[in-house]
Amino acid sequence: MPKLFAVVKRRTQKRTARHAVVDGWWQDVSPNMGPQELSEFLQLMDRTRHIQLLDVEDKLVWAWENNGCYSARATYRAFFAGRVEANVASQIWRSRAPVTCKFFTWLAARERCWTADRLAHRHLPHPTACPFCDQREETINHIMLSCVFARAVWVAVLTALGRLDWAPSQEDSIVDWFTACSPPRTHRRDVITVLSLCLWELWKHRNDVVFNGALPSPQPVISNINREGGNWRTAG
């Protein structure tokens, strides 16, 4: 009610709600009201007509806890109250992979890795084509899934897992592919861990090709997956 507040006597603008209700807040309003002030006055009269104050001491109540008491946990929960959970987020973050690998898998799923398409969008130097196949533009989904080089790695890995039917298609994105893979619940964390490891090793090999001049070859990637997977298993 900004217009109405502007015509309230200044000495009464800091009254408490109790004083205003008991003494009659309308008495503090100047009679010199225009049409807008009068409209707000009538609205406020209607809204406060049935208010009854109790003889109890005011207290602060934290609405995000059932007991009304503040807690950091409830504050954190309230901060994310309006969030929308991304697909495969829980699978990625609950895997058994090291934190570094989880962060990379999450960034790859969100298409936030610095591949040629993102560099070109920002007018930065970038490879002219995929460093693996040299046939198509480099995107994170291409080098991780649809590139002929990446598909050769996935055929070897998925054959070892006995799930060649999970082989990614030319049009898959990482999110869609993770969603389509449906391992049994009892082995889901282990399977997602293996898939995250493969993505991680493909990315490292890509960087080795781009920055160190290495020759693209599926065999070193597969060997690194086996060796690193064995190290993860040994570490628990």
Side-chain angles (χ1 to χ4, degrees), residues 127-226:
T128 56
C130 170
F132 287 155
C133 67
D134 198 28
Q135 296 176 4
R136 296 182 59 182
E137 180 188 24
E138 184 195 42
T139 68
I140 190 64
N141 290 316
H142 173 72
I143 63 173
M144 294 288 105
L145 300 178
S146 61
C147 176
V148 292
F149 179 94
R151 289 171 65 82
V153 173
W154 285 117
V155 167
V157 172
L158 296 175
T159 299
L161 293 176
R163 294 308 306 257
L164 195 55
D165 56 307
W166 287 352
S169 70
Q170 292 286 343
E171 305 301 326
D172 273 339
S173 67
I174 294 175
V175 171
D176 294 337
W177 181 61
F178 264 52
T179 304
C181 297
S182 53
R185 181 176 293 274
T186 53
H187 302 297
R188 184 168 299 169
R189 289 183 67 190
D190 294 331
V191 171
I192 297 300
T193 301
V194 173
L195 299 183
S196 298
L197 170 60
C198 296
L199 294 174
W200 178 233
E201 291 299 334
L202 279 167
W203 178 251
K204 290 199 297 184
H205 190 65
R206 177 263 183 197
N207 289 342
D208 199 25
V209 171
V210 171
F211 298 111
N212 300 326
L215 294 177
S217 174
Q219 192 54 48
V221 180
I222 297 170
S223 299
N224 289 338
I225 291 171
N226 291 328

Side-chain angles (χ1 to χ4, degrees), residues 108-127:
R110 302 292 293 171
E111 300 183 20
R112 293 295 187 269
C113 297
W114 287 104
T115 46
D117 58 328
R118 284 174 59 81
L119 292 170
H121 183 70
R122 289 161 177 78
H123 306 288
L124 296 172
H126 60 278

Side-chain angles (χ1 to χ4, degrees), residues 80-112:
F80 292 101
R83 70 175 181 174
V84 177
E85 185 170 312
N87 291 335
V88 310
S90 59
Q91 297 183 47
I92 292 174
W93 292 110
R94 292 176 184 173
S95 73
R96 303 183 192 278
V99 174
T100 302
C101 186
K102 290 181 183 180
F103 269 105
F104 166 74
T105 306
W106 174 247
L107 292 173
R110 302 292 293 171
E111 300 183 20
R112 293 295 187 269

